[in-house]
Amino acid sequence: GGVMGEQAFYIAILSSAVIAGTPILYAALGELVTERAGVTNLGVEGMMLIGAVSGFMAAIVTGNSWIGFAAAMMAGGLMGLIHAVLTVSLRANQVVSGLALTLFGTGLSGYLGKGYIGIPVAEPFRGVSLPLLGDIPLLGPILFRHDVLIYLSWLVVLALWFFLSRTRAGLNLQAIGENPGAADSLGIPVFSLRYFYVIVGGMLCGAGGAYLSLASAPSWLENMTAGRGWIAVALVIFALWNPGRALVGSYLFGGIDALGFHLQAAGVHVSHFFLQMLPYLFTIAVLTIVMARRGGRLAAPGSLGIPYDREQR
């Protein structure tokens, strides 16, 4: 029984790692798209919270979690639109705009969600075992018995990878992040594309928030993202702006998160505060290692964080 128990423990942790990593994955993919277009977005945490509360409210009002998920993406997209107006059109400082959006999103989501605390979701997203795949020993319970939003996140990773590496539009996206002046002179519409990708990034951040309030912990709690937006921002650097690495990285972070929870459940006496610190300690360690290995240089898009001014070309 000992071996079986141990195996069940590891399966539980790895399966939880996928669930805990999914909101981070959606948000990191959103940040990755935005940064590939040359715009830094530090508003991820605020966008996730607005997505979480909007998705939850829409799901309660309509009784349909898919409508909730769509509403969360729209709300995240609206936050992205505000960021785009500030940073692309008005050329405001991207760091300041992002921080302002995080503060705004945190406050507004708390205000909007006041009346929704403690209400259960009628039909949250539940685990669905994929035919055949769900029955594979070990891999089945770890990967293939989850809710639809997890499978959807894999499709987003695949689509993004294909888009960035195999399509002309994907190359244009990289061009406006690397050298917007050159892209502009080739007739690539830098401003409208930056708008588009900042909004798409916001929509994915909103999806990450909705995953929390409609799937992993179907409820609304103030500040329920608990810093995951910041982990997503750091994760993009760790992933070197690559969607596949973002997937692996978010499950790593999810695993650290899940590990603490399962250690407590198994009766291992570790301070609750130390366990909460773990993902952030891990984030700092990972960023330090990535920077050291690359001699302080990153594979960041060349014009990341620099507003594009056509007059100065």
Side-chain angles (χ1 to χ4, degrees), residues 135-174:
D135 301 327
I136 302 172
L138 295 181
L139 278 184
I142 292 170
L143 289 176
F144 301 118
R145 292 184 195 169
H146 290 294
D147 56 85
V148 189
L149 298 184
I150 287 183
Y151 307 140
L152 184 65
S153 71
W154 299 346
L155 291 177
V156 176
V157 170
L158 267 175
L160 250 181
W161 166 79
F162 182 83
F163 178 74
L164 284 167
S165 57
R166 299 283 186 276
T167 67
R168 163 151 288 200
L171 292 176
N172 287 353
L173 164 57
Q174 295 183 56

Side-chain angles (χ1 to χ4, degrees), residues 10 25 97 129 131 177 195 201-202 232 280:
Y10 290 124
L25 175 59
S97 167
S129 184
Y195 257 83
Y280 303 99

Side-chain angles (χ1 to χ4, degrees), residues 58-131:
I60 294 292
V61 171
T62 62
N64 184 324
S65 288
W66 279 110
I67 295 176
F69 190 66
M73 290 187 75
M74 282 174 62
L78 269 174
M79 293 280 281
L81 176 63
I82 298 171
H83 191 53
V85 170
L86 289 169
T87 58
V88 181
S89 296
L90 303 178
R91 293 198 283 278
N93 180 306
Q94 295 177 6
V95 172
V96 174
S97 167
L99 291 175
L101 278 178
T102 282
L103 293 170
F104 170 67
T106 306
L108 183 63
S109 65
Y111 174 72
L112 291 174
K114 273 241 180 312
Y116 289 85
I117 295 170
I119 300 178
V121 183
E123 288 289 318
F125 291 97
R126 296 189 199 286
V128 185
S129 184
L130 287 181

Side-chain angles (χ1 to χ4, degrees), residues 32 36 235-242 245 290 294 298-299:
L32 190 147
R36 277 292 182 104
L235 184 65
V236 175
I237 302 170
F238 164 68
L240 302 175
W241 293 268
N242 170 321
R245 288 182 65 141
V290 170
R294 307 201 138 246
L298 288 172

Side-chain angles (χ1 to χ4, degrees), residues 17-18 21 235 238 245-258 282 286:
V18 173
L235 184 65
F238 164 68
R245 288 182 65 141
L247 175 88
V248 176
S250 54
Y251 291 168
L252 255 175
F253 281 99
I256 304 260
D257 210 8
F282 186 59
V286 160

